[in-house]
Amino acid sequence: MWLGPEEVLLAGALWVTERANPFFLLQRRRGHGKGGGLTGLLVGTLDVVLDSSARVAPYRILHQTQDSQVYWAVACGSSRKEITKHWEWLENNLLQTLSIFDNEEDITTFVKGKIHGIIAEENKNEQPQSEEDPGKFKEAELKMRKQFGMPEVEKLVNYYSCSYWKGRVPRQGWLYLTVNHLCFYSFLLGKEVTLVIQWVDVTQLEKNATLLFPECIKVSTRDSELYFSMFLNINETFKLMEQLANIAMRQLLDNESFLQDKSLPKPRRPLKNISALKRDLDARAKNECYRATFRLPKDECLDGHTDCTLWTPFNKMHIPGQMFVSNNYICFASRAEEACHLIIPLREVTIVEKADSSSVLPSPLSISTKSKMTFFFANLKDRDFLVQRISDFLQRTPSKKPCSIDREWKWNVADPSSEEVPELPSSSPLAISPTSALSHRPVSFCAGQVPTASQGLLKLFRRDAEELSGPKGAKEKMKEESWNIHFFEYGRGMCMYRTAKTRELVQKGIPENLRGELWLLFSGAWNEMVTHPGYYTDLVEKSMGRYNLATEEIERDLHRSMPEHPAFQNELGIAALRRVLTAYAFRNPTIGYCQAMNIVTSVLLLYCNEEEAFWLLVALCERMLPDYYNTRVVGALVDQGIFEELTREYLPQLSEKMQDLGVISTISLSWFLTLFLSVMPFESAVVIVDCFFYEGIKFILQVSLAILDANMEKLIQCCDEGEAMTILGRYLDNVVNRQSVSPPIPHLHALLTSGDDPPLEIDIFELIKTSYEKFSNLKADDIEQMRFKQRLKVIQSLEDTAKKSVVRAVSGDIGFSMEELEELYVVFKAKYLMSCYWGNNRAAAARRDQSLPYLEQYRIDMEQFKELFISLTPWACGAHTPVLAGRLFRLLDENRDSLINFKEFVTGMSGMYHGDLTEKLKVLYKLHLPPALNPEETESALEATSYFTEDVTTEVSPFVSELDICLHCEPQETQEDKGRRNENGPEKEEKGTSPQDYRYYLRMWAKEKESKKETIKDLPKMSQEQFIELCKTLYNMFSEDPVEQELYHAIATVASLLLRIGEVGKKFSNRPTRKSEDCKANNTQDPVSEEESPTSEQSQNSAVEQQPQADHEDKASVDALPEKIQQENQTLGDGSGEGQGSPLQLLSDDETKDDMSMSSYSMVSTGSLQCEDIADDTVLVGCEGSSAAARYGSTIDTDWSISFEQILASMLTETALVNYFEKKVNILQKIKDQKKVERQFSSSSDYELSSVSG
């Protein structure tokens, strides 16, 4: 790369001059390239250990003038190719011009100006993002790409100096963290260490300190454990490694590619030596933490945060904390976790103003909302800038008036229900609330559908009012009054102050009339609902009437959703549940529908209207319980791992017993997926849901620990899993809610309460209180950290399970061992993932459907298959290998979607590695027939036909049709044959009409359904041009083999013999006595294979047991065969074969080899040995008359054909060929070699780099 000219005082220190002219020097740094001695070793070591490795390239160009002692560095390069390109440009463009100048200062000024101009021109074409990266970082990225063979699309995130512990010896070097890889390079005193690990292969990341390793980072993969230490900032490094590994796990989970978020904030001051990617990843982490803390929508991006204090009117205090500002919200979090949280949507803000500063309130800011609430912030450091940012966001915020939501609903409003609607207190400060009177009117979303009320179903299906007038009703009234007092003091709606008092009220149970409203507020679902008016209505209209796998599963589970509750014993509740679940499946097809969603949604519908239940479901599935409701319930498995870890920490004496019994994995899924709704009485479980919406998953974990703790003594004495499950089931069945005003609903698990003793009832509020007393020190941040650790373990475990499932599924039909199949699966998957990283336009990386079986989830295209084939095939054919790979891909791609799965891949590989000679030749034979062979590929065969025997020059269709292949008929049929067939009468002609074609197709489909093993007789015949392509492949295949001369000799013998067999067989395939009935699919053996016996003793001996007994007519024709061959020789012979008129002599094996010796060696001397390169004077023995005949034309002989049996019989006569195809090749060694070189692209090959980048 060109450099802005910099002064260099000591040009010779640590550098060697390789080229020079009067104005420039090209230098190489000592320690790079060959030689260098001890000085070179020391310099190379210093370059790695010291920070200079990031800025010193191994080559540079200096500008000098004769009388000056000052040198100017004008270019540097990481490879000889790059620096030579710059050197040649200087020689061609500047040398002549510089010789004109008289003044040396003018020369230097001109050179500096020219270099600056070149740099400016290059920078014009660069993307703006790259300009943000400092030059030092760009050089480090360039070095990383060259060192590890990474393409341009692989972006460096950051790099760190550290030590890698190899055994007990630390190797000081540089750790490069890219988007998809962890790389390490060290060079110490001539010893080089290079590590490249994909993030998707990392199974564990730990930061720990041991006696052997001071504070270090441990990176575990399936095969190894790596330790890195001596970081300047180990916490920053570890956090970044966690982020990158987490992104990789997301890719494995749902194929979500890593794209930079364009809306991420930019820092006001550029940060030194930090890439744009590193900065954006930091911003991404802050965004995720911000959204999780305040339960905000997924697209909300944090703009900034600042320290401040908030005046809280309920206790008349200034609470210190931080203000967070984003596109649509202003949030506040106190330093003390439970002191106060506040969320102010900008859509609610009416006034933002700066108040007068005082000693008590420095730099105060006042924010007023539509609900008549005013918030005072003080101690703001940059108040003016903050006010400007908030004003900018307010201008971009669309005005959301209360009537705008009313309008959306009025389109579908029916007559008011006769149900009594509870009135809100007139003092309610929030104009729009989830319980506004309008929301209690019934709404019909679809014409013809059963209408459902736009209020909680519980209000419609309340059985009686007795409970409301008793002591339970009085308790409920007291709860409502407590909440109304809380609303008066702390505010109502999104802008409510959330404090420890709020949590206390939630723990005591939310009143049924307020449950829907508060669930919406605490979960953040209310924000999404009011910002997407009409979204649910539109979604219902689009989704109803659509049928797919998700809707089928939904219909199956509708009547299993709380069947004991009266709300779901009629079509009103069932229809509402159907609409909500179907709408969500339509919104998020990645999840679609998962079991347990129906149970949770049915409870939501009891307390909320349809739209509110829908948005609560969105909040649950996409934010609060991430990845829970997908096909592999990854999120639930992750939290199950956290639960096991917490059990070890808090209940160590019980943990080992639970592990032995295997109980945790069984109980946690049912507890977590349904939020205890399926295992606890409804009245009690709904209180758990209250706390969950306020606290999140932390509360579910602490209640689970409290349940185990309460049953510890009984569980320790259990003998098996069933007994433990019975104990826990009986306990949960008897968790009661004595304050519930709803009639008790029969619980399905009540059958577990058996025994003589009456069950001991447990009050749900006591259980919640106990959970807070014993396990309240769980922190949300710690749980997120544990989630990351467990996600690595769970996803890698699922990938291992998938690998074993796939390997088991394909192992029955494949010759590879289980170990070989597992290694092949790893290579196959890595190739697919590489296309996701670097091949943006490839079809295989476009979509990975998680709903497909494991076998179909990873699929590769032709280009990826070619790369694997070239590195793994035992049939290396030099430059011809990619052609052979393309043919095999077409043969394996049975559904013609240009993608193949793992089973198809290993089927192709197994055909080359396993089986006897016959099986391997069968694969090779099929690769030279359609569909593997393209018509275009056979065009080159026309050039080679002048070297082979031919006596028919009629131009006929040169290619066998695919229909003939499918029907297993004889592939060639000339116009003469058709005429001869049609002369037999109209009844014969009708056989070619479409009804017969339909019968053929029906017969073909019927045969496809039969599980019939393919035999060699099922293979169609091969035409002459296809045979020539086969010969070309074989000649290329034997190149560079240790016994290539013997193989060339053998294949020349076999090819000549087969050409003569085809010529002889052609004579009899065209006999007038031949009946058209001879072309019967899969039934009649081709006469050519019956009549080849007189041609050579070898083929007669090897093929005789395959031939059926010839009938009388065929015997007569065999008797006449020598005469016809003799006549043919008299016509075509030019004296090079037997004497004219003499009978054809049967050649023995030795005689054939002797005759072939000269021609085979003459072919070897021509070089590449491809058929089209064979010299004109080269003669294939057995085709003596070919030279003369070839001069009359080079048209393919379409009557010529050969069968697989004839090729096999001829091959068996040559020991060298038999040994070659029966030679065992170790595929594990090839896989090992492939892994070593897969990323080591040549640094001088621009083509390879561009091809990888897709």
Side-chain angles (χ1 to χ4, degrees):
M1 59 185 289
W2 297 105
L3 301 174
E6 298 175 356
E7 266 191 43
V8 178
L9 295 177
L10 297 173
L14 307 181
W15 293 85
V16 179
T17 301
E18 293 197 337
R19 293 192 193 179
N21 61 42
F23 302 104
F24 298 100
L25 297 174
L26 190 157
Q27 295 186 326
R28 172 178 56 82
R29 191 162 177 82
R30 295 181 188 275
H32 291 272
K34 296 179 181 178
L38 182 60
T39 308
L41 285 176
L42 290 172
V43 173
T45 301
L46 286 172
D47 280 348
V48 172
V49 174
L50 302 179
D51 191 37
S52 57
S53 68
R55 51 174 196 268
V56 177
Y59 299 94
R60 71 179 182 183
I61 297 176
L62 303 180
H63 165 62
Q64 64 159 357
T65 52
Q66 291 181 354
D67 299 333
S68 174
Q69 297 300 313
V70 178
Y71 295 83
W72 297 86
V74 295
C76 68
S78 58
S79 67
R80 188 177 296 276
K81 178 182 176 182
E82 181 184 4
I83 204 69
T84 303
K85 181 180 175 184
H86 291 331
W87 178 263
E88 290 174 351
W89 188 92
L90 291 171
E91 284 191 330
N92 296 333
N93 294 277
L94 285 189
L95 278 188
Q96 291 184 349
T97 308
L98 295 180
S99 61
I100 299 172
F101 289 92
D102 296 328
N103 189 342
E104 291 187 354
E105 290 184 7
D106 293 343
I107 293 175
T108 302
T109 304
F110 178 81
V111 169
K112 288 163 69 175
K114 192 69 178 174
I115 299 300
H116 280 303
I118 294 172
I119 294 171
E121 189 66 30
E122 285 183 346
N123 288 342
K124 265 189 207 175
N125 302 324
E126 289 186 0
Q127 296 178 352
Q129 178 197 336
S130 63
E131 292 175 3
E132 297 172 3
D133 292 345
K136 182 179 177 183
F137 186 88
K138 287 166 68 176
E139 288 184 20
E141 185 170 39
L142 181 66
K143 180 170 183 178
M144 177 274 299
R145 289 207 187 101
K146 299 293 184 183
Q147 188 67 53
F148 303 103
M150 300 291 180
E152 288 286 333
V153 293
E154 183 70 6
K155 299 296 184 185
L156 178 65
V157 180
N158 213 351
Y159 62 103
Y160 302 93
S161 173
C162 70
S163 290
Y164 161 62
W165 291 80
K166 191 170 184 180
R168 292 173 178 257
V169 181
R171 300 297 180 97
Q172 184 66 27
W174 288 88
L175 182 72
Y176 297 90
L177 305 181
T178 73
V179 174
N180 302 302
H181 297 85
L182 177 152
C183 307
F184 177 82
Y185 179 74
S186 171
F187 181 85
L188 283 174
L189 300 177
K191 291 190 176 180
E192 190 176 53
V193 176
T194 304
L195 296 174
V196 179
I197 299 169
Q198 292 187 59
W199 289 117
V200 292
D201 292 334
V202 174
T203 57
Q204 193 174 8
L205 274 177
E206 286 184 302
K207 184 177 66 174
N208 52 27
T210 63
L211 291 175
L212 180 60
F213 305 116
E215 195 174 30
C216 67
I217 295 174
K218 175 184 171 185
V219 181
S220 303
T221 66
R222 291 177 178 83
D223 306 321
S224 60
E225 293 182 348
L226 310 174
Y227 293 88
F228 300 94
S229 66
M230 299 185 189
F231 291 93
L232 290 176
N233 190 341
I234 192 168
N235 292 326
E236 178 195 329
T237 310
F238 185 70
K239 184 179 177 183
L240 180 58
M241 292 168 79
E242 279 190 329
Q243 283 181 280
L244 293 169
N246 204 27
I247 289 168
M249 292 305 104
R250 298 296 312 177
Q251 290 175 336
L252 281 180
L253 182 60
D254 54 16
N255 208 36
E256 179 183 288
S257 60
F258 176 66
L259 299 172
Q260 293 186 40
D261 193 340
K262 302 297 181 187
S263 60
L264 288 175
K266 310 294 182 191
R268 278 172 281 174
R269 300 179 187 86
L271 303 173
K272 288 187 178 181
N273 302 327
I274 292 186
S275 70
L277 269 178
K278 172 69 171 67
R279 183 199 63 220
D280 291 351
L281 276 171
D282 291 342
R284 186 181 294 259
K286 288 179 181 177
N287 282 333
E288 289 172 356
C289 182
Y290 170 62
R291 289 192 293 261
T293 303
F294 299 104
R295 307 272 170 81
L296 299 178
K298 288 201 300 183
D299 56 353
E300 195 64 23
C301 293
L302 178 65
D303 186 69
H305 58 88
T306 182
D307 291 334
C308 67
T309 58
L310 172 66
W311 170 255
T312 51
F314 51 85
N315 60 2
K316 307 293 189 290
M317 288 178 63
H318 292 282
I319 298 180
Q322 281 192 320
M323 176 194 282
F324 301 85
V325 179
S326 60
N327 307 33
N328 301 292
Y329 298 89
I330 300 170
C331 301
F332 174 84
S334 59
R335 285 181 189 159
E337 186 181 359
E338 296 182 4
C340 183
H341 269 214
L342 179 65
I343 303 168
I344 308 173
L346 291 183
R347 63 179 181 269
E348 296 289 324
V349 173
T350 55
I351 300 172
V352 178
E353 59 182 354
K354 294 179 281 187
D356 295 333
S357 294
S358 66
S359 58
V360 180
L361 278 178
S363 304
L365 181 67
S366 167
I367 299 176
S368 303
T369 66
K370 296 173 183 177
S371 55
K372 311 303 181 190
M373 294 181 72
T374 303
F375 304 95
F376 286 100
F377 298 91
N379 294 287
L380 293 161
K381 291 180 181 177
D382 199 349
R383 184 177 62 166
D384 294 340
F385 176 77
L386 181 64
V387 170
Q388 184 60 48
R389 291 299 290 168
I390 294 174
S391 300
D392 293 343
F393 288 133
L394 278 171
Q395 289 176 2
R396 291 195 289 246
T397 303
S399 60
K400 297 283 183 186
K401 297 180 181 178
C403 61
S404 66
I405 299 184
D406 292 355
R407 278 200 298 270
E408 289 292 338
W409 285 88
K410 284 176 183 175
W411 291 106
N412 294 313
V413 170
D415 293 330
S417 169
S418 58
E419 273 296 311
E420 188 177 334
V421 177
E423 293 292 328
L424 287 178
S426 57
S427 60
S428 171
L430 185 59
I432 320 171
S433 81
T435 54
S436 60
L438 178 68
S439 68
H440 294 288
R441 300 180 186 176
V443 175
S444 175
F445 287 102
C446 266
Q449 295 289 330
V450 175
T452 184
S454 62
Q455 65 183 47
L457 294 174
L458 203 61
K459 294 184 176 68
L460 297 177
F461 291 93
R462 187 167 286 156
R463 292 178 180 173
D464 51 57
E466 292 179 8
E467 299 288 350
L468 294 176
S469 58
K472 290 185 178 179
K475 183 75 173 176
E476 187 78 359
K477 292 283 186 187
M478 288 175 61
K479 282 187 185 179
E480 288 187 23
E481 190 59 33
S482 298
W483 275 99
N484 286 329
I485 294 170
H486 185 273
F487 291 149
F488 181 78
E489 292 183 0
Y490 295 86
R492 188 170 189 171
M494 284 308 300
C495 301
M496 176 172 62
Y497 294 97
R498 304 176 194 206
T499 65
K501 177 69 174 175
T502 315
R503 175 182 289 164
E504 287 176 19
L505 286 176
V506 172
Q507 289 173 22
K508 292 176 182 177
I510 298 175
E512 289 193 350
N513 287 336
L514 296 175
R515 191 160 267 149
E517 172 187 354
L518 293 174
W519 283 1
L520 285 164
L521 295 179
F522 295 149
S523 67
W526 178 243
N527 285 323
E528 292 182 281
M529 188 173 77
V530 296
T531 53
H532 295 83
Y535 176 86
Y536 174 69
T537 310
D538 295 340
L539 208 55
V540 169
E541 291 174 356
K542 290 176 185 175
S543 62
M544 294 310 287
R546 300 279 187 100
Y547 295 98
N548 52 34
L549 182 61
T551 57
E552 288 179 14
E553 292 176 346
I554 289 169
E555 289 297 326
R556 189 174 63 240
D557 286 351
L558 283 177
H559 295 278
R560 303 177 189 170
S561 310
M562 294 190 69
E564 64 274 12
H565 198 285
F568 298 99
Q569 292 171 358
N570 65 83
E571 189 57 29
L572 186 68
I574 294 295
L577 183 59
R578 177 187 294 114
R579 278 191 289 271
V580 174
L581 290 174
T582 306
Y584 186 77
F586 195 78
R587 165 191 164 91
N588 190 346
T590 304
I591 292 177
Y593 170 77
C594 176
Q595 284 191 338
M597 285 172 70
N598 59 320
I599 296 173
V600 175
T601 308
S602 60
V603 174
L604 299 179
L605 280 167
L606 290 176
Y607 297 99
C608 307
N609 66 41
E610 277 187 36
E611 184 177 24
E612 292 165 352
F614 170 79
W615 286 111
L616 276 170
L617 185 62
V618 169
L620 268 175
C621 296
E622 298 175 12
R623 289 190 286 108
M624 300 190 72
L625 297 176
D627 305 321
Y628 261 60
Y629 301 104
N630 56 28
T631 51
R632 299 194 281 182
V633 292
V634 173
L637 292 172
V638 168
D639 287 346
Q640 172 186 303
I642 295 175
F643 185 41
E644 290 180 5
E645 198 172 330
L646 292 173
T647 306
R648 283 194 296 272
E649 181 180 346
Y650 289 99
L651 307 170
Q653 63 272 43
L654 181 61
S655 173
E656 189 174 343
K657 182 71 173 180
M658 298 293 281
Q659 290 292 337
D660 293 342
L661 297 176
V663 175
I664 288 185
S665 59
T666 308
I667 61 175
S668 54
L669 279 182
S670 59
W671 293 3
F672 297 165
L673 277 170
T674 64
L675 304 175
F676 288 95
L677 289 166
S678 64
V679 294
M680 206 181 266
F682 168 75
E683 308 83 36
S684 305
V686 79
V687 182
I688 300 280
V689 178
D690 291 342
C691 298
F692 166 74
F693 277 124
Y694 189 81
E695 296 275 14
I697 192 63
K698 175 174 96 75
F699 176 75
I700 300 294
L701 290 168
Q702 72 183 37
V703 166
S704 301
L705 289 170
I707 293 169
L708 291 186
D709 183 54
N711 293 276
M712 185 185 301
E713 293 182 6
K714 293 179 182 178
L715 289 172
I716 288 176
Q717 296 172 5
C718 286
C719 300
D720 55 38
E721 181 186 2
E723 187 180 352
M725 292 296 296
T726 303
I727 289 170
L728 291 171
R730 184 179 294 125
Y731 177 87
L732 290 171
D733 277 333
N734 291 286
V735 176
V736 297
N737 180 3
R738 299 187 179 94
Q739 301 175 12
S740 174
V741 294
S742 298
I745 298 169
H747 193 238
L748 296 180
H749 286 252
L751 296 174
L752 291 170
T753 56
S754 58
D756 300 330
D757 299 331
L760 179 66
E761 290 188 343
I762 302 96
D763 186 76
I764 180 63
F765 299 106
E766 286 298 319
L767 177 63
I768 291 172
K769 183 181 176 183
T770 304
S771 75
Y772 274 101
E773 288 173 352
K774 292 189 174 183
F775 308 107
S776 61
N777 55 349
L778 285 178
K779 305 296 181 189
D781 292 343
D782 295 339
I783 290 174
E784 283 304 314
Q785 183 70 24
M786 294 166 76
R787 269 182 169 172
F788 161 75
K789 181 180 174 182
Q790 293 296 330
R791 191 177 293 119
L792 275 181
K793 192 182 297 182
V794 166
I795 293 180
Q796 296 293 13
S797 174
L798 288 172
E799 289 296 309
D800 289 341
T801 304
K803 177 173 72 174
K804 289 174 183 174
S805 300
V806 170
V807 167
R808 271 198 306 269
V810 303
S811 59
D813 307 324
I814 305 299
F816 291 115
S817 67
M818 297 292 277
E819 181 189 2
E820 290 170 338
L821 283 172
E822 287 187 2
E823 288 296 321
L824 281 170
Y825 182 83
V826 170
V827 171
F828 184 86
K829 176 181 159 187
K831 185 60 66 177
Y832 165 82
L833 291 173
M834 211 164 284
S835 75
C836 293
Y837 302 156
W838 301 335
N840 296 328
N841 297 325
R842 288 183 172 175
R847 185 183 72 258
R848 177 185 169 208
D849 189 351
Q850 291 282 343
S851 64
L852 290 173
Y854 287 136
L855 190 60
E856 292 285 339
Q857 286 189 14
Y858 295 120
R859 294 182 294 170
I860 59 175
D861 62 16
M862 183 180 287
E863 290 305 312
Q864 296 161 325
F865 177 77
K866 283 182 179 179
E867 293 165 12
L868 284 178
F869 182 90
I870 290 169
S871 59
L872 298 178
T873 181
W875 296 345
C877 300
H880 194 63
T881 308
V883 177
L884 203 63
R887 292 176 187 167
L888 182 57
F889 182 88
R890 286 190 291 273
L891 185 66
L892 297 173
D893 183 22
E894 294 180 359
N895 59 358
R896 301 289 178 267
D897 63 350
S898 300
L899 297 171
I900 62 170
N901 61 31
F902 179 68
K903 182 173 184 179
E904 292 165 336
F905 169 72
V906 293
T907 300
M909 287 289 121
S910 181
M912 295 183 288
Y913 275 94
H914 297 286
D916 54 12
L917 171 70
T918 305
E919 293 299 318
K920 292 179 180 177
L921 282 180
K922 192 191 294 184
V923 173
L924 197 59
Y925 185 84
K926 286 181 181 178
L927 292 181
H928 296 83
L929 295 173
L933 189 72
N934 270 345
E936 296 80 9
E937 291 181 342
T938 59
E939 290 177 0
S940 59
L942 289 168
E943 303 170 10
T945 53
S946 57
Y947 306 108
F948 301 113
T949 304
E950 56 184 338
D951 62 348
V952 178
T953 57
T954 321
E955 292 194 14
V956 194
S957 173
F959 204 68
V960 58
S961 73
E962 291 194 36
L963 179 60
D964 289 333
I965 298 293
C966 294
L967 300 180
H968 306 298
C969 287
E970 185 176 346
Q972 275 73 29
E973 183 181 35
T974 62
Q975 295 293 333
E976 185 181 350
D977 290 333
K978 289 181 181 178
R980 194 180 299 120
R981 187 187 63 190
N982 293 341
E983 286 172 4
N984 293 331
E987 66 278 358
K988 298 289 183 186
E989 188 174 352
E990 288 175 4
K991 290 189 178 181
T993 58
S994 56
Q996 187 192 27
D997 292 340
Y998 293 146
R999 287 195 295 274
Y1000 279 152
Y1001 280 120
L1002 289 170
R1003 197 178 305 135
M1004 180 178 71
W1005 292 331
K1007 285 178 181 176
E1008 282 178 359
K1009 292 179 181 178
E1010 297 175 5
S1011 56
K1012 171 174 170 285
K1013 188 171 178 64
E1014 184 184 56
T1015 65
I1016 57 176
K1017 293 184 179 181
D1018 296 329
L1019 294 171
K1021 287 193 168 188
M1022 182 175 277
S1023 67
Q1024 191 178 73
E1025 55 187 346
Q1026 293 161 359
F1027 178 70
I1028 293 169
E1029 284 293 325
L1030 175 62
C1031 291
K1032 183 195 293 187
T1033 299
L1034 288 168
Y1035 274 104
N1036 281 285
M1037 194 183 293
F1038 302 148
S1039 177
E1040 299 182 9
D1041 192 273
V1043 291
E1044 63 178 336
Q1045 297 298 333
E1046 294 178 33
L1047 290 168
Y1048 287 144
H1049 191 158
I1051 195 59
T1053 305
V1054 170
S1056 303
L1057 178 60
L1058 289 169
L1059 285 165
R1060 282 204 301 180
I1061 291 173
E1063 288 294 329
V1064 173
K1066 179 181 64 177
K1067 293 291 184 182
F1068 299 95
S1069 66
N1070 289 333
R1071 287 177 300 157
T1073 57
R1074 176 83 177 271
K1075 304 294 184 185
S1076 62
E1077 293 84 38
D1078 289 342
C1079 181
K1080 293 182 180 176
N1082 300 324
N1083 295 328
T1084 305
Q1085 180 66 34
D1086 196 321
V1088 176
S1089 58
E1090 298 176 40
E1091 295 158 1
E1092 64 177 324
S1093 50
T1095 310
S1096 68
E1097 284 180 3
Q1098 306 100 291
S1099 52
Q1100 181 182 14
N1101 294 337
S1102 57
V1104 65
E1105 58 230 11
Q1106 299 173 9
Q1107 308 301 328
Q1109 183 65 37
D1111 57 18
H1112 184 269
E1113 182 182 350
D1114 284 334
K1115 285 181 180 176
S1117 62
V1118 169
D1119 295 335
L1121 182 59
E1123 292 184 40
K1124 295 188 178 181
I1125 296 175
Q1126 182 180 1
Q1127 291 170 5
E1128 180 186 357
N1129 274 338
Q1130 291 171 355
T1131 306
L1132 297 177
D1134 59 355
S1136 60
E1138 292 81 20
Q1140 187 171 356
S1142 63
L1144 180 68
Q1145 302 296 321
L1146 297 175
L1147 299 175
S1148 70
D1149 203 2
D1150 293 334
E1151 288 170 342
T1152 307
K1153 288 184 179 176
D1154 291 338
D1155 288 341
M1156 280 304 299
S1157 59
M1158 287 304 297
S1159 62
S1160 67
Y1161 282 109
S1162 68
M1163 281 187 273
V1164 170
S1165 66
T1166 60
S1168 70
L1169 293 167
Q1170 296 185 13
C1171 283
E1172 59 263 31
D1173 297 331
I1174 298 174
D1176 287 340
D1177 58 350
T1178 302
V1179 177
L1180 291 176
V1181 173
C1183 303
E1184 293 87 348
S1186 62
S1187 303
R1191 298 189 186 101
Y1192 296 103
S1194 61
T1195 308
I1196 287 290
D1197 187 347
T1198 54
D1199 290 339
W1200 190 98
S1201 66
I1202 202 80
S1203 69
F1204 176 73
E1205 294 99 314
Q1206 292 164 332
I1207 293 177
L1208 175 62
S1210 304
M1211 288 276 199
L1212 287 170
T1213 63
E1214 293 294 334
T1215 308
L1217 294 177
V1218 173
N1219 291 341
Y1220 179 86
F1221 282 105
E1222 291 190 344
K1223 179 174 59 180
K1224 298 293 182 185
V1225 181
N1226 184 2
I1227 194 169
L1228 291 177
Q1229 185 59 43
K1230 281 191 170 285
I1231 292 172
K1232 188 176 179 182
D1233 296 340
Q1234 190 263 353
K1235 287 181 179 178
K1236 284 181 183 176
V1237 300
E1238 65 180 349
R1239 290 185 202 88
Q1240 301 305 317
F1241 309 115
S1242 170
S1243 60
S1244 61
S1245 172
D1246 294 330
Y1247 170 76
E1248 285 189 5
L1249 289 176
S1250 62
S1251 67
V1252 171
S1253 62

